């Protein structure tokens, strides 16, 4: 049986493209998705095992982990792609405490708590594989913050730190790395003004698309000597200085 790779939040866009690419490369892919979307059926049609999972639902997470342990003896990789790009609440709304708390908790739950739980539970199955990877999909803003997505950025920073901890804890059997994209793919509702502003933030001034992440995932899977690293897919954004 071909090596099994789990990827979370794969119902659309970058995760969907990555799942299809890995399947085409010969891996057995188990893709989790939260909402039924066209991309999920596309994955089924491609022979990908699709599993409905809200990673913030602890009961669903527990059932998922039990399912994996019942059906697989080893895992080639786990890719934590699931994400909710939620902006902070508008600050002029009074008594934002409960709203701020909800947003902060939601960001930590999807981006840090779920990968922490899944990695610790599935580490033994990864260790059974001759080569194994955990890949955290973080974000450029994990290293510099964000004025409008503070909670999101903080949670991606937590995921970055988990990369270092799991790399230390699971070596030498499991490689653990992060991919930190800046702009890779716009959203459908992004305005032309937003797109122009976003493109101008990087030196290379382009929207590379989903293949940029899929190529980086493939590179990490093929490497035998990279762990505890953050691969920055940012078009030179940090150097785009006045
Ligand atoms: N697009 C870009 O330019 C950039 C992307 N990234 C990162 O790359 C990754 C992929 O990005 P992209 O494809 O644009 O992401 P999207 O926001 O388009 O998709 C995220 C996916 O995660 C799923 N998801 C959200 N919350 C949960 C949850 N609680 N449980 C399970 N699944 C959940 C969503 O499911 P549902 O369909 O149900 O909402 C959705 O399918 C993300 O980690 C993102 O933060 C980082 C920087 C730039
Ligand atoms: N879960 C998501 N995270 C992020 C997205 C997205 O669409 N979904 N988009 C971005 C932006 O492209 C940003 O990097 C540039 O404006 C960041 N994270």
């Amino acid at each position: 049986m071909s090596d099994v790779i789990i990827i979370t939040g794969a119902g659309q866009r970058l995760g969907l493209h990555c799942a299809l690419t890995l399947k085409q490369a010969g891996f057995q892919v188990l893709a989790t998705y939260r909402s039924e979307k066209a991309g999920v059926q596309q994955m089924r049609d491609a022979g990908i095992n699709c599993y409905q999972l809200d990673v913030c639902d602890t009961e669903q997470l527990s059932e998922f982990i039990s399912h994996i342990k019942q059906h697989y003896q080893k895992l080639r990789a786990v890719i934590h792609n699931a994400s909710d790009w939620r902006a902070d609440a508008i600050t002029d709304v009074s008594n934002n405490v409960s709203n701020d708390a909800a947003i902060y908790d939601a960001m930590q739950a999807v981006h840090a708590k779920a990968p922490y739980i899944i990695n610790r539970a599935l580490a033994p199955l990864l260790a059974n594989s001759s080569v194994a990877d955990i890949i955290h999909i973080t974000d450029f803003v994990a290293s510099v913050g964000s004025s409008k997505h503070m909670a999101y950025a903080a949670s991606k920073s937590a995921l970055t730190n988990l990369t270092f901890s799991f790399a230390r804890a699971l070596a030498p059997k499991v490689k653990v790395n992060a991919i930190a994209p800046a702009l890779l793919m716009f959203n459908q509702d992004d305005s032309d003004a937003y797109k122009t502003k976003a493109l101008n933030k990087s030196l290379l001034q382009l929207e590379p698309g989903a293949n940029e992440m899929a190529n980086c995932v493939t590179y990490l899977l093929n490497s035998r000597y990279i762990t505890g690293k953050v691969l920055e897919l940012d078009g030179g954004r940090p150097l785009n200085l006045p």
Side-chain angles (χ1 to χ4, degrees), residues 25-203:
F27 292 102
Q28 188 182 339
V29 178
L30 189 152
T32 81
Y33 66 96
R34 183 175 60 175
S35 310
E36 183 68 36
K37 295 190 171 174
V40 180
Q41 189 53 48
Q42 190 180 352
M43 289 192 290
R44 294 189 188 105
D45 294 345
I48 292 172
N49 183 0
C50 298
Y51 186 103
Q52 189 165 27
L53 172 66
D54 179 339
V55 299
C56 296
D57 182 314
T58 306
E59 188 174 335
Q60 286 187 37
L61 207 48
S62 182
E63 288 169 359
F64 170 69
I65 289 164
S66 298
H67 171 84
I68 297 299
K69 289 185 171 181
Q70 285 165 3
H71 291 84
Y72 303 98
Q73 284 68 48
K74 63 179 180 177
L75 292 171
R76 173 64 183 80
V78 179
I79 303 170
H80 295 284
N81 170 78
S83 171
D84 183 355
W85 190 36
R86 202 177 307 182
D88 303 310
I90 306 300
T91 52
D92 63 0
V93 174
S94 62
N95 188 22
N96 237 349
V97 172
S98 59
N99 196 19
D100 282 352
I103 291 171
Y104 191 88
D105 290 347
M107 293 297 93
Q108 290 292 331
V110 63
H111 296 132
K113 181 179 174 184
Y116 172 77
I117 292 168
I118 292 170
N119 289 348
R120 286 169 58 85
L122 300 185
L125 274 66
L126 288 161
N128 286 341
S129 180
S130 55
V131 184
D133 285 83
I134 292 172
I135 299 175
H136 295 153
I137 310 300
T138 61
D139 191 310
F140 163 78
V141 296
S143 59
V144 297
S146 170
S147 58
K148 296 177 181 171
H149 297 81
M150 292 182 191
Y152 165 87
S155 66
K156 288 286 191 173
S157 183
L159 182 56
T160 303
N161 189 268
L162 285 171
T163 306
F164 308 143
S165 296
F166 279 109
R168 296 173 64 181
L170 302 183
K173 293 198 171 186
V174 184
K175 299 179 280 136
V176 185
N177 294 288
I179 295 174
L183 168 69
L184 292 185
M185 181 186 280
F186 287 118
N187 278 282
Q188 282 186 335
D189 56 352
D190 288 338
S191 68
D192 289 345
Y194 173 86
K195 289 180 179 178
T196 300
K197 183 180 177 185
L199 290 170
N200 288 334
K201 288 181 180 177
S202 76
L203 290 179

